[in-house]
Amino acid sequence: SALYVLPPGFVESSCRSRIFWMKLNKLLLQGKFFQLEIYDPYSGPVLLDEKLAFRCGYVLSEDVWGNPVFRASVLGCHVANEADELFSLTVNIKVSSFSSMRAAVTYTYPMYCSYTSWASREIVCEENYMEVSVKTDVPAVSNDYTVAWMSALPEIQNVAYQQWQLMFVSPSGRKRITVSEAVKLGYSFNNTLSRVYLRAPYHSNESDISVVSGVNMNMVTSTSMYRQRWLLLLIDTTVSCPVDGVSFTDTALTWTVPRVIPTLVVQESAFLSTNIVMGVDDQIIVNPKEKNYLLVHNETHIRITIPIGADGGKLESSISGGVYGVLYSIDLFLEHTWTDAAWQTTKYTVIKSITTPFMPQIPTVINNTVPEERLFNVAFGHFLPDVSLVAIAIGNVPFTLREAQHHGFRIYETPFSNRTKGFILEVSFDDPYVLKEYVNRNETKYTLLVNYTLSVGPEMTLYYHSAEVECVIADIEVPEAVGYCDEDNLYLTLPTFGLHQYWDLYLGNKLLSQHLALTNGYLAATNSTHLILQIPLFAGGLIYEEVSFQKIKARFDVSLRKLRTMETLQMFSISCTFNSSAFIICHPDGTIMISAQMKTVPAIDMSKTKLRDSSCKPREYSKAHAFFKFHVTTCGTSVRFEGDYIIYENEISYEKETLPGQSIPRITRDPDYRLTVLCYYQAKETLVLGAFASDTATSPPFGSGTMVPHSNTAAYRRVRQALNVVSRVSKDESFMEFYEPNMAILKQPVEPVFLEVELKDESPNVELYLENCWVARSPDFNSTPRWNITVDGQVVLNVQCTH
């Protein structure tokens, strides 16, 4: 590969406390592969791999932002050393677009470091190795050796190696080996002009784990021995580094390092800390409090506490098991300098990259909707800047952000105070994808169903979150009806808004449908805003409050009920008084009212008119009218069946006056007057009555009962003439489904009960009249209390309890 000039901003480097630091810009490596080669001035470039790294004092990792970071000890294998003061190292950076590294571009980058403030003993605890260097005056191997010996060729150094041996002490015993044997075990040992150093991997066979003040320490106890002729030099090259000591809370991480490490301090009473500093990346933090860091120490510990999300670290979004959360990472180092009885000064450096465990952060949906604006305003957060919204679904209909904006949804980001952000969604109440439900009396419940799709973190993992937002607003006006009358009709005018959408009109318990209107003789017309209902005076469904030959006071009642719950919202009632003329009114309870008009010549006395039963006289009369009121079971009324109808018939006639005389025929001046009265009733008709408890406070909250048919009293019962009468209780007014016989039926106090009494005899001479009907608490006909429904064939409109 060819050599190229480094792109601007590609490499940053520094020298921090006898460590080379080099950082590569990840932006210039996007979509590419890279390798590092360490340039050896004697043998050329050597590819950096994991084995070479821990043996020679190199580290290749990433900082919290994802930039590649290379660190090297100034005592590393390939570092050029000038009098233990000036150090240089050359690195080749190879970049290729292919994983095989073919056609690679090579950038050569030399680094220089000046370090003169060596302590008597320096220990470095790196990510992948432990290193101890000790200041010592090692005698020359012979008088011919000079300072240049320290930078001699490797083969000459090999000769020097023969003068050194290492003694390791571990739980398995003592082990004495040569330097070359130590190299085979992964160690690195050498001496410079004024120092001897040992570099050891973590968790080697010769190492041991000890607990110091609650922190696990990896320790290698060793003595370096130098022998030449009559001289024997013993150097303590023991090293001990922490392997844990990190703890987490929801708000902070804490890194703990022992203040006094017994294997490194011979006489603890003479121990004295002279300096403790902390750093982030390769920078010392002079005043940790300015960054909200906390650096504290006592007799046993040194603790660094970093708030989650503090400057210098990176807070990153992540997904675990479909749950959104965050990770916080920071690269710390600690330098502790002390003196004790055995060593003049010890400088102890620990480099630690810390990442918190996954911390779930369940997003929240905040409903900022102002109902009066008729616009959903929903905030969704809190998220880190590495989260982006990529799609939404409204009412299970998916939209890309562009489609959502085009449809009319407004989506934008909003910053929050803690350096997080949220996503604002605005949707109109009137949007077709918003669910609408009519609730309560005059309110609409608007429901917005949202599914968010977000891209999370540098891996751009998709995250899904659903939300349901409701808003209830009183935006429905319950209609008011207007009623009026003319000479022959009652009129009801009602706004059509909401009709059949929110509510319907009911006549009693029957839906006022087009079919019912036509059946009862109503005329219905609509325009763009209103329904106009015309009710003729003698149409079905009218209530006649007052009837005489002088006037008729008629009332028409309809109720406005909610479509789904059947709750009554409004009762509309029109009441008008009409001038009476000839009419006949057939009440559902069997009462017949007739206003008969005199139309004979010569005129007759209307007070002398009568029904078939001559005792049934007019209740009111005038010269032109006679008013009768009677029940279908009285006054000689006859009954017959035709098709689906029961026809009751009576006749109004006039009692003629005769002149005195004995002979027959008699002589009269009165004309004939005969008026046939017919009332038609459907053979199967539902009569709905209101029932009211006399004292709601003492009435039971529920009622139960069994209907018992009673065709006649026991005194008049004849076996041969026993009637086949069947009574049943229907589940609703359709009379299509019935309860089982003798089944307990629970009802609210004013809830309707639908009773059917049917005569099964097919004899044309047998008729069924509902004479007495009541509700009791037992099948005994004489039991009390009892609630009368009909008495002597007359309907009791206000049912009271009779004891």
Side-chain angles (χ1 to χ4, degrees), residues 46 370 400:
V46 180
V370 179
T400 65

Side-chain angles (χ1 to χ4, degrees), residues 705-711 723-731 735 737-743 745 753-761 768 770 772-774 779 781 789:
T706 303
M707 187 169 185
V708 181
H710 183 48
S711 61
L723 300 178
N724 185 10
V725 177
V726 177
S727 61
R728 297 186 294 179
V729 181
S730 173
K731 292 184 177 180
F735 288 90
E737 295 185 59
F738 296 87
Y739 293 104
E740 294 295 326
N742 301 320
M743 176 182 178
I745 305 167
V753 178
F754 301 96
L755 312 176
E756 179 187 83
V757 182
E758 183 178 4
L759 176 64
K760 293 291 188 180
D761 297 74
L768 176 65
L770 189 60
N772 294 301
C773 179
W774 68 93
F781 285 98
I789 298 175

